Amino acid sequence: EPHGGVARQIFHNDGILAFLPLADPHLCSIVWSLVPEKAQQMHEATPEAFNQALCVAFDNRLGLCTLESERQVFPLTGRYARQFAAHRLALVGDAAHTIHPLAGQGVNLGLLDAAALAEQLLKSQIAGADIGLLANLRGYERWRKSEAARMLAAMEGLKRLFGGSHPLKKLVRGVGLRAVDGLGPLKQGMIRAAMGLDGELPALAKGEKI
């Protein structure tokens, strides 16, 4: 069935399944996060067995699904560089940090890194300072390390909350999601955070001139 341009995500006890819409109304890119043993089983399964498992895991939200491309398997590893800057060097995006893809925040973090670095470099240039000097990159490093650490902690917390089948976790998940859905300001705040519009934003992200 057509995806309607909507991204969908389902949380299971042993993994997270996301359907991300592509330009073709009947094609989605799938990200299926599983424990290593299960991931290997899905990688080695026949296309028919994989299609069946996928439909069951996705609860047939888009009807019967069929595999359209080669499956790829790679480990998900959270990383956080000790330093985001050095003399004539600045790390942005996945070079500085990698997080679990459960909320798709890696891209937002990387784009905000780039915008923050551009702002820092332009300010140094306007001031006639050496843009590659470590002392002039410290502001970028402090700024983005704190934002990345905050997002990494949030994603790890969500991963732990939605993982496992402990009754208390299920209760907290259910109550928490209903509360968020019913509280407008809190819901809007979470939406803004998911869109990368929360926290200390670079001027470019706010549509402002530097």
Side-chain angles (χ1 to χ4, degrees), residues 160-179:
R160 290 177 181 274
L161 177 62
F162 283 95
S165 57
H166 192 283
L168 183 57
K169 278 190 176 183
K170 288 184 176 181
L171 177 63
V172 171
R173 287 197 296 255
V175 172
L177 289 174
R178 283 193 295 273

Side-chain angles (χ1 to χ4, degrees), residues 176-193:
L177 289 174
R178 283 193 295 273
V180 168
D181 193 44
L183 295 173
L186 180 58
K187 186 176 181 180
Q188 289 302 315
M190 293 188 70
I191 290 174
R192 284 184 59 80

Side-chain angles (χ1 to χ4, degrees), residues 93-94 97 99 101 103-114 144 195-196:
D94 287 353
H97 44 68
I99 65 173
Q105 292 304 300
V107 172
N108 283 343
L109 275 178
L111 291 174
L112 291 172
D113 286 348
R144 296 311 302 164
M195 293 172 66

Side-chain angles (χ1 to χ4, degrees), residues 118 152-153:
L152 278 160

